[in-house]
């Protein structure tokens, strides 16, 4: 375990170092662009004060690198250039909450529903539900998220007027109770979540279906049937547990990338999540904000993979000794 933790530490340090280097290799300077609009009207002292306020680090590259790492550890991620004088950490955390609401909820729903449907299809391969549901969901999953999002906005939003088509809540309305606010936000999130779930169900279904069909053909499952155990006991007590390992691996990897946001879906619905914030940082060359967004993604990916390693130990006891027990 210590070796894995060391690997995670080195991976995190390497990713954060690249996060420091890459923005500085990009052409242009957001502060220079801001100062350029005020050219001739600022004294050198005022320019220096603006640079300092916008988080333009002083000193050589090594001093900047040290200040950057110190800021990552202490939570001082600087000031956003495009939304000056707001703190980067505040912007990132606010956007992260909205992203987790739609992308996190959509991931959990699609995993649970898709895995359960995969079990139902694997019980009778080639018959009943398995004949039409997997091809249908794979066909729908072939369309990109943003295309489904635009279709849902056009039909369910504009034509039928069943759902709001933009923002995370009704900005022009005053809410008397917290419950009304929660319902309004859930109503706004329904369409973005629904489009992601519909588009990703097929992958989870096929992963579980194929793994479970393989497990149902193994000798230990046949032994369980020969002892008189019911189909439900064998599937949910033995076969599904082992068949779930590939899905758990995919879930752990997907959890990390949830933080990056469903970028195009957030753009279509003007949803104030992490993906939309990252796009705004890139378009405006807001380096402190861009570094804050990328650092969040780095921590999320590494944290989810570490959590996955720990979860694997409990789900599959063979991994506790590197598979020696198999």
């Amino acid at each position: 375990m210590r070796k894995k933790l060391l690997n995670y530490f080195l991976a995190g340090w390497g990713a954060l170092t690249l996060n420091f280097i890459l923005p500085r290799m990009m052409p242009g300077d957001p502060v220079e662009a801001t100062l350029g609009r005020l050219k001739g009207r600022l004294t050198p002292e005022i320019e220096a004060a603006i640079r300092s306020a916008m988080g333009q680090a002083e000193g050589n590259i090594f001093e900047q690198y040290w200040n950057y790492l110190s800021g990552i550890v202490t939570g001082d991620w600087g000031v956003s250039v495009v939304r000056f004088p707001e703190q980067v950490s505040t912007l990132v955390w606010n956007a992260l909450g909205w992203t987790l609401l739609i992308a996190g909820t959509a991931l959990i729903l699609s995993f649970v529903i898709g895995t359960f449907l995969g079990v139902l299809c694997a019980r009778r391969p080639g018959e009943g539900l398995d004949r039409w549901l997997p091809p249908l969901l794979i066909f729908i999953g072939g369309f990109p998220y943003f295309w489904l999002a635009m279709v849902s906005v056009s039909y369910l939003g504009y034509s039928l007027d069943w759902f709001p088509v933009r923002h995370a809540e009704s900005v022009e309305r005053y809410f008397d109770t917290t419950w009304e606010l929660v319902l309004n936000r859930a109503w706004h999130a329904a369409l973005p979540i629904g489009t992601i779930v519909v588009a990703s169900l097929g992958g989870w279904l096929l992963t579980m279906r194929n793994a479970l069909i393989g497990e149902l053909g193994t000798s230990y499952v046949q032994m369980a049937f020969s002892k008189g155990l019911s189909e439900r006991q064998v599937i949910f007590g033995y076969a599904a547990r082992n068949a779930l390992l590939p899905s758990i691996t995919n879930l752990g990897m997907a959890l990390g990338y949830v933080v990056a946001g469903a970028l195009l879906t957030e753009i279509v619905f003007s949803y104030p999540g992490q993906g939309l914030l990252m796009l705004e940082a890139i378009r405006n060359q807001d380096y402190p904000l861009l570094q804050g967004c990328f650092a969040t993604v780095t921590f999320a990916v590494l944290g989810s993979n570490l959590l996955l390693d720990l979860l694997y130990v409990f789900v599959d006891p063979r991994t506790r000794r590197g598979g020696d027990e198999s």
Side-chain angles (χ1 to χ4, degrees):
M1 193 62 196
R2 280 182 293 183
K3 184 178 180 182
K4 284 187 176 180
L5 290 176
L6 177 62
N7 290 336
Y8 278 114
F9 174 79
L10 293 176
W13 173 72
L16 292 175
T17 300
L18 285 176
N19 189 28
F20 171 81
I21 295 174
L22 291 179
R24 285 160 176 78
M25 297 176 65
M26 295 172 61
D29 183 340
V31 179
E32 285 290 348
T34 302
L35 295 177
R37 293 193 290 268
L38 303 173
K39 191 173 182 179
R41 291 179 286 173
L42 300 176
T43 63
E45 291 76 14
I46 295 178
E47 287 189 13
I50 292 176
R51 284 185 176 280
S52 177
M54 287 186 170
Q56 287 285 304
E58 298 178 353
N60 59 43
I61 192 69
F62 298 105
E63 292 173 335
Q64 293 179 30
Y65 181 60
W66 174 253
N67 292 333
Y68 160 75
L69 290 180
S70 302
I72 290 290
V73 174
T74 60
D76 181 12
W77 293 1
V79 180
S80 170
V81 174
V82 68
R83 297 193 187 184
F84 182 81
E86 293 191 67
Q87 292 288 324
V88 168
S89 56
T90 303
L91 293 171
V92 169
W93 281 113
N94 289 340
L96 187 60
W98 295 115
T99 291
L100 291 178
L101 176 63
I102 62 165
T105 304
L107 175 63
I108 293 173
L109 285 177
S110 59
F111 172 76
V112 173
I113 298 173
T115 301
F116 182 70
L117 292 176
V119 173
L120 295 182
C121 291
R123 293 175 61 193
R124 303 286 186 273
E127 302 176 7
L129 195 67
D130 191 52
R131 296 184 63 180
W132 60 270
L133 187 58
L136 174 64
L137 292 181
I138 291 301
F139 174 76
I140 296 175
F143 296 98
Y145 291 165
F146 70 91
W147 189 86
L148 292 176
M150 289 190 293
V151 170
S152 63
V153 165
S154 175
Y155 185 66
L156 299 177
Y158 286 112
S159 298
L160 299 179
D161 198 22
W162 286 357
F163 297 94
V165 296
R166 62 174 63 89
H167 305 312
E169 61 186 42
S170 300
V171 294
E172 73 281 357
R173 178 183 168 187
Y174 176 77
F175 299 99
D176 295 323
T177 64
T178 305
W179 181 242
E180 287 184 3
L181 177 62
V182 171
L183 286 179
N184 185 266
R185 289 180 176 178
W187 187 41
H188 279 75
L191 216 50
I193 291 175
T195 54
I196 298 174
V197 169
V198 169
S200 56
L201 269 182
W204 296 112
L205 183 151
L206 276 189
T207 302
M208 187 62 187
R209 173 192 176 276
N210 295 338
L212 185 55
I213 289 176
E215 286 295 326
L216 290 176
T218 57
S219 56
Y220 79 90
V221 172
Q222 300 303 318
M223 175 71 74
F225 278 121
S226 66
K227 287 185 175 180
L229 295 179
S230 65
E231 184 184 55
R232 177 176 298 182
Q233 288 176 312
V234 174
I235 289 179
F236 291 100
Y238 299 98
R241 181 175 176 177
N242 290 332
L244 198 58
L245 294 177
S247 295
I248 291 178
T249 303
N250 294 335
L251 177 65
M253 297 176 65
L255 276 175
Y257 290 102
V258 159
V259 179
L263 176 60
L264 295 177
T265 302
E266 290 179 359
I267 292 174
V268 171
F269 290 98
S270 298
Y271 210 80
Q274 182 90 352
L276 200 60
L277 185 67
M278 196 179 302
L279 177 66
E280 182 182 350
I282 294 173
R283 294 174 64 179
N284 294 283
Q285 294 182 311
D286 190 341
Y287 299 158
L289 185 57
L290 194 58
Q291 288 177 336
C293 292
F294 285 160
T296 308
V297 175
T298 299
F299 293 138
V301 172
L302 293 177
S304 62
N305 279 276
L306 178 60
L307 181 64
L308 180 66
D309 282 339
L310 296 175
L311 184 62
Y312 244 96
V313 173
F314 293 98
V315 176
D316 187 0
R318 294 172 297 182
T319 59
R320 296 174 188 171
R321 297 181 180 178
D324 291 343
E325 294 182 1
S326 64

